[in-house]
Amino acid sequence: PEKLVIGRFGQFAHGTRFVTSSANHDMSGFSTFPFTNFMLSPETTREEIAAMFTTPGSKGDTIIGNDVWTGMEAVIMPGVTIGDGAIIAARSVVVADVPAYTIMGGNPAKPLKQRFDDATIAALAEIRWWDWPTAMIESRLDAIRSADIEQLKRAAG
């Protein structure tokens, strides 16, 4: 019932996994075993099947921003939002939202460093190069690949 929304220009290394809320088990009772999964019959309705995937405490949609890079075997837990330009280190477990242009690592993942200063991050959020037409991106790759925000601003102009 929840969504996994992935922005443009994402890079997902081998083994990256996204866990959605409906993969979790109901923890409100004494047992977490999914008994109802094994009680399906030809008479089971669509609504009853949908209810099986509704667990208390659902975290909702998982949102991955634009130009996000996840390292090998990173795990993204339900309901997390990862901001544009973020980097997730290999084998990290992301359990909370990740600010734009932040490098996260560990289990649970913690901020390791911000990639750019606040003014540059604000400018990148305004420029949104990933929304440009393909031909414009291709003709301005030098500016996009650089770390010169003034060059990128001129390219956006």
Side-chain angles (χ1 to χ4, degrees):
E2 65 280 341
K3 295 178 183 148
L4 171 60
V5 180
I6 298 176
R8 299 181 75 195
F9 298 95
Q11 306 143 84
F12 304 98
H14 179 77
T16 296
R17 295 176 192 247
F18 298 93
V19 180
T20 59
S21 287
S22 57
N24 286 332
H25 294 235
D26 185 353
M27 296 185 295
S28 63
F30 294 118
S31 176
T32 60
F33 191 82
F35 292 103
T36 54
N37 290 12
F38 302 100
M39 296 177 179
L40 296 174
S41 72
E43 292 78 34
T44 304
T45 67
R46 181 181 201 98
E47 291 76 24
E48 290 170 327
I49 293 171
M52 289 173 23
F53 292 98
T54 304
T55 58
S58 173
K59 306 274 186 186
D61 297 341
T62 300
I63 312 293
I64 311 301
N66 301 285
D67 197 30
V68 169
W69 172 25
T70 65
M72 183 179 69
E73 298 179 357
V75 177
I76 315 302
M77 297 302 287
V80 168
T81 295
I82 298 178
D84 296 326
I87 297 173
I88 309 302
R91 295 193 172 166
S92 295
V93 179
V94 179
V95 298
D97 290 350
V98 176
Y101 295 95
T102 299
I103 300 172
M104 300 283 284
N107 181 6
K110 303 274 188 229
L112 301 177
K113 74 181 238 179
Q114 191 170 289
R115 293 181 57 202
F116 306 107
D117 61 48
D118 291 338
T120 301
I121 291 171
L124 289 165
E126 185 175 323
I127 293 168
R128 299 184 58 81
W129 65 263
W130 46 81
D131 287 336
W132 296 352
T134 302
M136 186 172 169
I137 291 171
E138 289 173 345
S139 69
R140 292 164 171 83
L141 285 177
D142 288 344
I144 294 169
R145 287 187 230 169
S146 80
D148 182 342
I149 194 63
E150 296 306 319
Q151 180 185 8
L152 188 60
K153 285 179 183 178
R154 288 190 301 275

